[in-house]
Amino acid sequence: MLPSTSDIPSSLYRDLIHLATLAPSGHNTQPWYFTLGDRCIHLHPDQSRRLPVVDADDHALWISLGCALENLAIAARCASFSPRIQPQLTEHPVLSVYLDPSDTPPSPADLALQEAMAQRQSTRCAYDPRAIPADHLQRLTQASQQAGVQMRLFSTPDAMKPFIAWVREGNRQQFSDRAFVEELMQWIRFSHREVQRHQDGIPSRAIGMPYVPRWLGKRLMTWFATPQSQAQQFEQRIHQSSALLLFIADHHDRLHWVNLGRSFQRVALTATNLDLKHAHLNMPCEVVSVRSQMQQHFGLGEAQPLLLIRLGYANAMTRSPRRSLDAVIQAGTDGPS
Ligand SMILES: Cc1cc2nc3c(=O)[nH]c(=O)nc-3n(C[C@H](O)[C@H](O)[C@H](O)COP(=O)(O)O)c2cc1C
């Protein structure tokens, strides 16, 4: 049960938080919980859902929170509020969204983005790589605008080519690292029952594998997800992409990671409305030595390339679950009880 705060009905808070939770997150950890203030929703990081191997500095955790924050801000505008966002990112970090009243009706653009929230998904299959119309590319670029964040778009085979070697090397290093593979397997849900029990993690069907008992799923992964096979598969995925998007944070700190998440989320929702599918090819961003190669290649200086996304046309796949609202809304403002 939600405490009643001021004149906003608790069902409205629940609706807004539900939309926030539809945001993507690394390994679908959903590393967040929410508390309520007076006309305010606080979005907190859930440190128990960190990914210490693949995301040792928590940048992906904060990008995920940025995605949820963006959904919350869009949903608040659609509910006729003027959301005021206050990030507090040092000790006891929290992203607060104050629901100030607004006289402005929701814009058609926001309503369309909100509509896309339940449709958006990470779609990890092969794509039809037909060209994306120029006006659609322009809409994606417009959607990405965010202080301290750059999005670069690569939409020809020549422009996409350098990423093949980086994705190969990132994959090779990650899948040769036992700790990385162990952590990944912990978050794969190999059966329908596991999906229902945990309501988080990545259903094996969402990565193109059938549901099988866990012992078998782990063996299949060990046999088939070798550094070589993964590198080969992702090279093909690049050839099958209409475009690649590289999201770059001007500085390596929490505020820039959150802002990058906001930018990415708007692009992902816009792509969904344009009937485009997207999936992550983050391995070269996650392996620091490969990330440095990209930094140098593009002359980025201190700026960090943190998300690599492929775009193309495909049918939807199995959806990834979300935890219930009761599991993510906490009483009080001091953290999970
Ligand atoms: C910061 C971040 C990093 C991610 N990294 C990867 C990745 O490396 N590989 C991948 O397949 N998906 C990646 N994803 C996608 C998540 O696995 C996906 O969002 C999650 O499983 C929920 O599924 P959904 O996006 O379909 O709702 C990432 C998402 C975020 C926000």
Side-chain angles (χ1 to χ4, degrees), residues 61-75:
L61 180 147
W62 286 99
I63 292 173
S64 307
L65 287 164
C67 295
L69 177 67
E70 189 57 22
N71 272 12
L72 195 51
I74 295 166

Side-chain angles (χ1 to χ4, degrees), residues 97-231:
V97 180
Y98 289 89
L99 301 171
D100 293 346
S102 161
D103 295 333
T104 322
S107 71
D110 276 334
L111 289 169
L113 291 180
Q114 177 172 262
E115 187 80 23
M117 287 175 195
Q119 306 304 321
R120 186 214 57 80
Q121 62 163 211
S122 305
T123 312
R124 297 183 184 81
C125 58
Y127 295 163
D128 168 0
R130 65 179 185 269
I132 302 172
D135 59 323
H136 290 187
L137 292 176
Q138 209 177 355
R139 279 177 60 184
L140 295 171
T141 303
Q142 271 165 6
S144 73
Q145 303 299 313
Q146 184 80 36
V149 178
Q150 312 164 40
M151 185 193 81
R152 301 212 182 167
L153 202 152
F154 305 85
S155 57
T156 63
D158 271 357
M160 289 190 259
K161 200 166 165 193
F163 288 97
I164 293 174
W166 297 323
V167 167
R168 269 189 168 278
E169 180 55 16
N171 249 314
R172 191 192 64 73
Q173 290 201 32
Q174 286 189 326
F175 279 86
S176 309
D177 176 358
R178 222 188 150 86
F180 168 86
V181 177
E182 281 292 317
E183 185 180 71
L184 176 62
M185 292 229 227
Q186 269 174 32
W187 288 96
I188 293 189
R189 306 298 173 228
F190 287 105
S191 66
H192 185 61
R193 189 192 285 195
E194 284 192 0
V195 172
Q196 288 200 313
R197 175 146 40 97
H198 295 277
Q199 299 191 311
D200 61 13
I202 305 174
S204 54
R205 280 206 179 147
I207 52 174
M209 272 176 66
Y211 283 146
V212 289
R214 186 163 193 86
W215 67 267
L216 179 57
K218 285 178 82 166
R219 284 213 188 150
L220 289 174
M221 288 272 298
T222 318
W223 287 333
F224 294 114
T226 62
Q228 295 78 9
S229 72
Q230 290 299 295

